[in-house]
Amino acid sequence: GQNIDQPTEMTATEGAIVQINCTYQTSGFNGLFWYQQHAGEAPTFLSYNVLDGLEEKGRFSSFLSRSKGYSYLLLKELQMKDSASYLCAVRDAGGFKTIFGAGTRLFVKA
Amino acid sequence: DARVTQTPRHKVTEMGQEVTMRCQPILGHNTVFWYRQTMMQGLELLAYFRNRAPLDDSGMPKDRFSAEMPDATLATLKIQPSEPRDSAVYFCASGLLEAETQYFGPGTRLLVL
């Protein structure tokens, strides 16, 4: 079966660091994605991990452990505009089928 | 600035009516995806195409939904007849076979009364 778990909501303070966790159990694995989605808008691509380790891209970093079925998205120097939903998604081994988690709504407060 | 476009952006219809949603993928992209997003279910994959051929539509209710790509610049998703439970945001996304990411269109917000 396919299962992707991430917290429903998180709150953090402007300027702080927040880590959003994602655990997955899928029948196959060909990469893990993080997308950002602001309310009323389409998801936009943030990061992609296919090998274990940390990928850093500006204020955002994403980590993957395939053996543990675990990933996290790290957001540094939080800004108010980072308030959004963050979607963890896993691509299956066979092709391009991508399964999305329910998303984590992040609230950044002043 | 290449983007995925979707029409209509909003649609309100009555139960039983046919709904057609259209998507123009980014020129040159060879994979196209249809997703549905609701508060309860999140983002669900309905169908996807590779080089215009349907590869997987297992997420779609077959009796009322159909997805096609009549040419490389147009993908359609039809619901006939529509039901109130079909109310959702429908996203189209496109990508390259060898690339990592999908680019999402702005979505069609469908309300079936």
Side-chain angles (χ1 to χ4, degrees):
Chain A
Q2 317 264 39
N3 194 44
I4 299 175
D5 287 317
Q6 46 182 135
T8 304
E9 286 185 3
M10 298 182 71
T11 301
T13 305
E14 193 176 18
I17 299 173
V18 71
Q19 178 175 311
I20 303 174
N21 296 323
C22 170
T23 57
Y24 64 90
Q25 294 169 314
T26 55
S27 55
F29 181 84
N30 190 24
L32 186 142
F33 299 82
W34 285 96
Y35 282 82
Q36 179 190 60
Q37 186 176 25
H38 285 100
E41 298 182 8
T44 56
F45 171 78
L46 286 179
S47 69
Y48 170 72
N49 294 69
V50 66
L51 300 176
D52 290 352
L54 187 68
E55 294 278 342
E56 297 188 76
K57 197 183 288 187
R59 293 190 298 115
F60 293 7
S61 303
S62 57
F63 171 83
L64 174 66
S65 169
R66 289 171 295 170
S67 61
K68 295 181 179 176
Y70 168 69
S71 172
Y72 67 73
L73 180 69
L74 194 71
L75 291 77
K76 304 175 188 174
E77 300 170 13
L78 279 173
Q79 301 175 9
M80 300 298 286
K81 67 178 182 179
D82 297 330
S83 293
S85 287
Y86 291 86
L87 307 175
C88 173
V90 174
R91 186 163 68 188
D92 76 2
F96 271 64
K97 187 171 184 175
T98 305
I99 306 299
F100 282 80
T104 298
R105 277 180 293 173
L106 175 66
F107 298 95
V108 180
K109 59 182 182 179
Chain B
D1 186 22
R3 298 185 185 192
V4 176
T5 58
Q6 290 185 246
T7 56
R9 294 292 307 276
H10 299 87
K11 176 73 175 180
V12 181
T13 191
E14 293 186 343
M15 183 173 62
Q17 296 299 306
E18 177 178 299
V19 175
T20 299
M21 291 170 270
R22 293 178 175 80
C23 166
Q24 183 173 11
I26 293 173
L27 190 64
H29 281 187
N30 49 18
T31 56
V32 174
F33 307 81
W34 281 106
Y35 292 92
R36 174 172 63 185
Q37 188 173 40
T38 61
M39 289 294 292
M40 295 300 294
Q41 299 294 330
L43 200 60
E44 304 173 277
L45 179 66
L46 296 175
Y48 75 101
F49 295 79
R50 183 185 297 175
N51 294 323
R52 294 177 55 200
L55 284 193
D56 189 334
D57 61 1
S58 57
M60 222 162 55
K62 300 290 190 304
D63 56 340
R64 299 184 299 109
F65 284 60
S66 63
E68 295 178 348
M69 273 201 81
D71 62 59
T73 64
L74 177 65
T76 63
L77 180 67
K78 290 187 181 179
I79 308 174
Q80 169 61 25
S82 59
E83 297 181 1
R85 60 180 167 152
D86 300 330
S87 298
V89 181
Y90 291 81
F91 288 106
C92 173
S94 72
L96 285 169
L97 197 62
E98 62 275 16
E100 299 157 356
T101 188
Q102 302 171 24
Y103 296 86
F104 283 77
T108 294
R109 280 166 174 72
L110 174 64
L111 178 61
V112 183
L113 302 173

